[in-house]
């Protein structure tokens, strides 16, 4: 699906959304706004140039990690992907911190390893990084103006939105612009070799070190987060490295 073949809705929903309105160096140099796509990550992987942003009102096949589905309520959230033409270690740190910082200050979001942003223990945002050759798609989903009934029944207890947390409707454009600006700053840091600083900030925000967890068959105490984001877990018998999965806190 070539980007130019899809109708673009740069209308009232998104306002005056063009690169000139953003003072970013890399992220958002080109912004493509769509009404309906399968997944913005697919567009970024198939067509993206370094820093291109793809954002859609609706995704017919939004995806999460490990083949899971990302529910993308039409018009309610921010469903976007940023393309990079070279892999960047630490991108997940940059993204999670940028999402945390783009969220209104009356929400106190927490980061959950490896890629969730939570508010009051419920999932507000998810991040999906995919790679095809050297091209990387950084997919970010943020639930913005959902009411409870905008989520499928099975998600209502574990998902939340900015609106549910603050009882206010949020202009998606504002959150979007803050996100791109914050992400740009952190991507520049990564590219300049500041990855270690981001790692420390992210690991502190995740606060998983020292906690007893279960992740798949592995149960133990997290010793540290490696610089690639993997968890080092002491099971009592051995040290195990966990690179993916869902963590359940046992303590
Ligand atoms: C993620 O996966 O959290 C990554 C989500 C990335 C979504 C963005 S949207 C733009 C871009 N285009 C895409 O196609 N994807 C990216 P994971 O950690 O595997 O979590 C998936 C799980 O979160 C699901 O199995 C549900 O339990 C839950 N979930 C699905 N939709 C949700 C939503 N809108 N809000 C909160 N939780 C949700």
């Amino acid at each position: 699906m070539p980007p130019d073949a899809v109708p673009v809705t740069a209308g009232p929903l998104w306002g005056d959304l063009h690169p000139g309105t953003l003072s970013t160096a890399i992220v958002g140099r080109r912004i493509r706004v769509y009404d309906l796509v399968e997944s913005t990550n697919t567009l970024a992987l198939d067509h993206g140039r370094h820093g291109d942003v793809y954002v859609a009102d609706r995704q017919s096949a939004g995806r999460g990690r490990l083949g899971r589905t990302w529910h993308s309520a039409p018009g309610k959230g921010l469903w976007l992907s940023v393309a990079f033409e070279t892999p960047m270690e630490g991108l997940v740190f940059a993204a999670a911190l940028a999402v945390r910082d783009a969220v209104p200050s009356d929400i106190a979001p927490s980061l959950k390893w490896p890629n969730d942003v939570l508010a009051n223990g419920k999932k507000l945002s998810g991040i999906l990084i995919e790679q095809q050759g050297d091209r990387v798609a950084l997919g970010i989903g943020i639930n913005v103006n959902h009411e409870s009934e905008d989520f499928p029944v099975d998600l209502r207890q574990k998902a939340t939105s900015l609106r549910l947390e603050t009882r206010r409707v949020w202009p998606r454009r504002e959150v979007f612009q803050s996100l791109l600006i914050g992400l740009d700053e952190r991507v520049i840091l990564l590219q300049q070799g500041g990855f270690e600083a981001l790692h420390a900030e992210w690991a502190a925000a995740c606060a998983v070190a020292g906690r007893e967890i279960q992740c798949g068959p592995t149960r133990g105490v997290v010793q540290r987060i490696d610089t690639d984001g993997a968890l080092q877990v002491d099971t009592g018998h051995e040290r195990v490295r966990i690179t993916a999965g869902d963590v359940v806190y046992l303590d």
Side-chain angles (χ1 to χ4, degrees):
M1 180 166 47
D4 290 326
V6 181
V8 170
T9 52
L13 267 183
W14 296 95
D16 206 9
L17 197 68
H18 52 79
T21 61
L22 278 177
S23 54
T24 53
I26 299 167
V27 175
R29 278 195 296 206
R30 203 171 64 136
I31 298 174
R32 299 267 175 173
V33 185
Y34 297 88
D35 177 16
L36 172 65
V37 301
E38 271 181 35
S39 159
T40 54
N41 256 34
T42 303
L43 286 176
L45 281 178
D46 289 350
H47 307 286
R49 297 197 311 242
H50 205 64
D52 285 357
V53 172
Y54 297 85
V55 57
D57 242 24
R58 295 183 284 160
Q59 293 190 116
S60 57
R63 55 184 182 258
R65 293 172 305 138
L66 312 167
R68 293 188 284 225
T69 298
W70 180 257
H71 184 260
S72 318
K76 299 286 177 179
L78 276 175
W79 324 127
L80 68 106
S81 300
V82 188
F84 297 101
E85 285 175 307
T86 169
M88 264 178 282
E89 209 180 1
L91 193 55
V92 72
F93 314 147
L97 291 168
V99 170
R100 182 197 64 180
D101 294 348
V103 165
S105 56
D106 38 351
I107 298 179
S110 58
L111 304 191
K112 178 158 186 258
W113 187 92
N115 65 333
D116 289 349
V117 181
L118 309 180
N120 284 320
K122 294 183 173 184
K123 188 155 166 167
L124 182 66
S125 169
I127 296 162
L128 172 69
I129 296 182
E130 294 177 308
Q131 192 172 341
Q132 205 169 267
D134 270 348
R135 199 178 274 148
V136 175
L138 164 63
I140 300 177
I142 305 180
N143 301 322
V144 180
N145 285 323
H146 298 60
E147 289 286 17
S148 187
E149 58 271 20
D150 294 317
F151 291 109
V153 174
D154 61 315
L155 281 185
R156 286 181 194 164
Q157 294 307 314
K158 51 184 186 180
T160 191
S161 70
L162 299 184
R163 181 176 184 172
L164 285 168
E165 294 302 315
T166 61
R167 299 313 320 158
R168 273 188 59 191
V169 172
W170 289 90
R172 283 179 294 162
R173 182 165 59 97
E174 276 179 31
V175 183
F176 179 68
Q177 293 199 344
S178 310
L179 176 67
L180 297 196
I181 291 167
L183 187 60
D184 190 60
E185 286 167 6
R186 291 171 187 283
V187 164
I188 291 168
L189 271 183
L190 282 184
Q191 292 195 341
Q192 290 172 344
F195 151 70
E196 294 283 345
L198 283 193
H199 171 261
E201 189 183 358
W202 179 76
C206 276
V208 69
R211 296 200 64 173
E212 188 181 5
I213 59 142
Q214 175 96 39
C215 188
T218 305
R219 180 184 184 138
V221 177
V222 177
Q223 301 301 303
R224 49 166 280 148
I225 303 183
D226 286 344
T227 49
D228 64 354
L231 292 182
Q232 289 270 1
V233 178
D234 186 346
T235 67
H237 309 290
E238 57 178 346
R239 187 69 78 92
V240 178
R241 230 176 85 86
I242 301 177
T243 55
D246 293 306
V247 160
V248 178
Y249 295 119
L250 301 176
D251 53 7

